[in-house]
Amino acid sequence: MNFWKNRPLVITVILVIVLLSLVISTANTEDSVGPVSILGRLLKPVQSFFYELTEDIGMFFDGRESTTQLKEQNELLKEQVALYEEQLSNYYELSAENERLRELLNYMQDSEYEIVTAEVIGTMPGEWFDEFTISEGSNAGIRTNMIVYSADGLVGKVVYTAGGHARVLSIMDDTSGIAVMVERTRDNAVLHATEDTPDTLQMRYLREDADIVPGDKIITSGLGGIYPKGIVVGVVSEVSTNTASERVVYVKSTVDFEHLEEVAVVLHVFEEVQ
Amino acid sequence: MRYLVLAGVSAVSMIMTACISPHLSIVNAQMDVMLAAMLCMVLREKTLTPVFYTAGMAVLMDAFFSRAFGFYTLQYLGTGLVIYLVMRTRRIDTAAVMASGAGFWLLREILGVWLCFLSDRPVGMSSRFVYSVLPGCIPQVLLCLIVHWLMGKLYAHRFVWPIGLYSDHN
């Protein structure tokens, strides 16, 4: 086959080369530019719709609502007028969302900084990184390195913004390291996600003779910038010894990342604690 | 009409891959409907056109999910190019669909890992392959078989084929 006579093939190879250079040049881009932001805006409502839909499906198979309850609710809804059925369905959704947001705002009420709440509208396909997309972006004042958390604790930090959405790097991503301390003893350490234990974090650089037991609460220390002091990150789940006789401390995050729906973004980039 | 069908199939498969698959993992792997659809279309018509449509949809995924623009587009474009070069002269049967379904799933994952390194965000290759990619071959092959059967129904219609190719393949 004459390569140069096959026009689609030539175009494909050229596109591959162009895209390779784009990938390298835009690696770790923190902000989107015009056309990219517009394209993202096109997909946002579709993503948001299907994210909510599959969350509901997932909760059903998790057994959160029993079959019996669903049947009873279905019978009740069948007896009502179509208009009341729609209003009742909307009311439950708004009521639940209101309760979650109320919890979130109560958690944040002592903050001296302005916050913006956002919904989680998508997770990264392919599970390449622990990043998810939220429904607010630079138009709401969100910038990169702003911290994100829920009523349960620290969620992560903003790593990319577009006009109407932003991406958050979860603390469960194995490129994400957090400076923490044990709340009870004030010992400093660094928390990392690991490949071997995807649902828990591992504590490193803790003093060898540090007093730590399962159940100890782990909070951010404020060292290293980005995360201010005092935010709950997790709870020690296991203290064990590895094959090299080194102590290994595992921490379970207080946030349920599988069912995260609303988050709060602090509209301030924190500097390192002096 | 053909281009509408290609665009529609690509759009639906992209929505399923980007919006639904992340929440419905099987053996820790997210099924790649876009790859299955692109593979089965290229296997049928032996042209690069489905690859371009799939890559076009992957651009939307890049705009929404990726920090390095081209991360998803290059995976599908590169894999589609290899599919075309390798499979364009081969006879298509069930065994070929199964083998190519698994093989190009692995290729796309390898491309993705390489692109992660290129964009200065390395991922743990060994654990990803052991816990996600290799176990994901089986459901991906099953998905390819289902999509191949569906494409058979679709490509039974003349309007889906490029001009002049319908009689060659039927």
Side-chain angles (χ1 to χ4, degrees):
Chain A
M1 175 195 72
N2 190 330
F3 172 79
W4 297 108
K5 285 186 178 174
N6 190 332
R7 198 182 303 176
L9 190 56
V10 172
I11 292 171
T12 305
V13 171
I14 292 171
L15 278 174
V16 167
I17 295 167
V18 168
L19 283 166
L20 257 178
S21 45
L22 261 179
V23 165
I24 294 168
S25 62
T26 61
N28 292 322
T29 305
E30 295 182 342
D31 301 291
S32 69
V33 292
V36 176
S37 184
I38 292 169
L39 286 173
R41 213 174 296 161
L42 284 175
L43 189 56
K44 179 182 166 183
V46 177
Q47 175 73 21
S48 183
F49 170 75
F50 280 102
Y51 185 83
E52 287 177 22
L53 178 66
T54 51
E55 273 289 288
D56 291 339
I57 293 171
M59 282 177 66
F60 175 78
F61 284 106
D62 279 346
R64 292 290 177 96
E65 295 179 76
S66 71
T67 307
T68 307
Q69 283 178 333
L70 281 173
K71 280 181 180 174
E72 287 175 1
Q73 190 179 34
N74 192 38
E75 287 302 318
L76 186 64
L77 289 173
K78 276 180 180 175
E79 293 171 4
Q80 295 174 350
V81 203
L83 180 62
Y84 291 145
E85 285 178 1
E86 187 180 343
Q87 288 177 347
L88 186 63
S89 179
N90 288 339
Y91 167 76
Y92 283 133
E93 180 59 33
L94 288 170
S95 178
E97 185 182 355
N98 186 47
E99 186 58 37
R100 289 194 300 270
L101 287 171
R102 197 183 289 277
E103 277 185 34
L104 192 55
L105 287 173
N106 284 339
Y107 186 80
M108 288 302 305
Q109 67 182 1
D110 294 330
S111 172
E112 60 189 279
Y113 303 107
E114 198 179 333
I115 63 164
V116 62
T117 56
E119 290 180 357
V120 177
I121 58 173
T123 52
M124 193 177 191
E127 293 180 327
W128 292 104
F129 311 111
D130 255 302
E131 290 182 8
F132 55 88
T133 310
I134 59 175
S135 60
E136 300 293 340
S138 53
N139 290 342
I142 294 176
R143 300 284 177 264
T144 53
N145 288 331
M146 287 181 174
I147 61 166
V148 181
Y149 50 109
S150 69
D152 295 323
L154 184 65
V155 170
K157 64 179 180 181
V158 177
V159 291
Y160 178 93
T161 59
H165 66 274
R167 282 202 286 279
V168 177
L169 182 69
S170 158
I171 60 171
M172 304 308 294
D173 188 271
D174 54 11
T175 60
S176 182
I178 313 161
V180 297
M181 69 165 70
V182 184
E183 189 185 44
R184 180 171 59 89
T185 63
R186 319 306 283 181
D187 286 315
N188 286 302
V190 176
L191 217 52
H192 274 278
T194 61
E195 293 173 28
D196 302 330
T197 54
D199 295 333
T200 55
L201 302 153
Q202 189 175 349
M203 197 176 268
R204 295 178 191 171
Y205 312 118
L206 186 67
R207 272 190 314 117
E208 280 188 23
D209 58 349
D211 174 23
I212 188 165
V213 295
D216 275 339
K217 195 182 286 185
I218 305 300
I219 60 175
T220 52
S221 63
L223 299 174
I226 300 186
Y227 299 109
K229 189 176 180 178
I231 305 174
V232 175
V233 181
V235 174
V236 175
S237 58
E238 183 185 341
V239 180
S240 59
T241 308
N242 64 11
T243 50
S245 301
E246 294 168 340
R247 189 167 58 171
V248 181
V249 180
Y250 292 105
V251 174
K252 189 115 172 71
S253 170
T254 47
V255 174
D256 181 5
F257 286 94
E258 293 292 317
H259 300 101
L260 199 58
E261 295 192 43
E262 285 93 18
V263 296
V265 182
V266 179
L267 297 182
H268 178 80
V269 178
F270 293 91
E271 302 296 328
E272 181 164 359
V273 169
Q274 299 300 324
Chain B
M1 187 62 186
R2 159 176 158 77
Y3 300 117
L4 274 178
V5 170
L6 285 176
V9 169
S10 302
V12 168
S13 61
M14 185 274 286
I15 288 171
M16 292 182 76
T17 302
C19 306
I20 298 177
S21 285
H23 310 292
L24 297 172
S25 299
I26 302 173
V27 291
N28 289 328
Q30 297 176 11
M31 293 303 98
D32 195 338
V33 184
M34 274 175 79
L35 178 65
M38 178 178 69
L39 169 67
C40 294
M41 285 193 285
V42 173
L43 287 180
R44 293 243 171 223
E45 59 178 75
K46 312 282 195 230
T47 69
L48 275 168
T49 309
V51 176
F52 291 133
Y53 278 85
T54 306
M57 288 298 153
V59 169
L60 277 180
M61 288 172 68
D62 270 325
F64 203 70
F65 296 110
S66 177
R67 278 192 266 168
F69 193 84
F71 179 75
Y72 286 106
T73 310
L74 201 45
Q75 286 182 53
Y76 289 101
L77 197 65
T79 307
L81 177 61
V82 176
I83 292 171
Y84 170 75
L85 291 172
V86 169
M87 305 301 290
R88 61 196 167 89
T89 55
R90 282 175 164 71
R91 195 174 69 88
I92 304 307
D93 54 18
T94 304
V97 172
M98 293 173 70
S100 53
F104 293 115
W105 158 261
L106 288 172
L107 175 65
R108 191 194 59 79
E109 286 289 328
I110 291 169
L111 261 179
V113 170
W114 179 59
L115 288 170
C116 288
F117 277 91
L118 271 186
S119 51
D120 202 26
R121 298 191 68 194
V123 295
M125 221 173 124
S126 54
S127 62
R128 184 179 175 91
F129 267 72
V130 168
Y131 294 112
S132 175
V133 177
L134 289 176
C137 280
I138 297 169
Q140 182 68 19
V141 163
L142 292 173
L143 175 67
C144 286
L145 286 172
I146 294 169
V147 173
H148 179 67
W149 177 78
L150 288 171
M151 289 298 169
K153 301 293 179 193
L154 186 64
Y155 276 85
H157 302 282
R158 183 186 288 269
F159 63 79
V160 182
W161 288 89
I163 295 171
L165 286 185
Y166 178 75
S167 53
D168 293 346
H169 293 273
N170 289 281

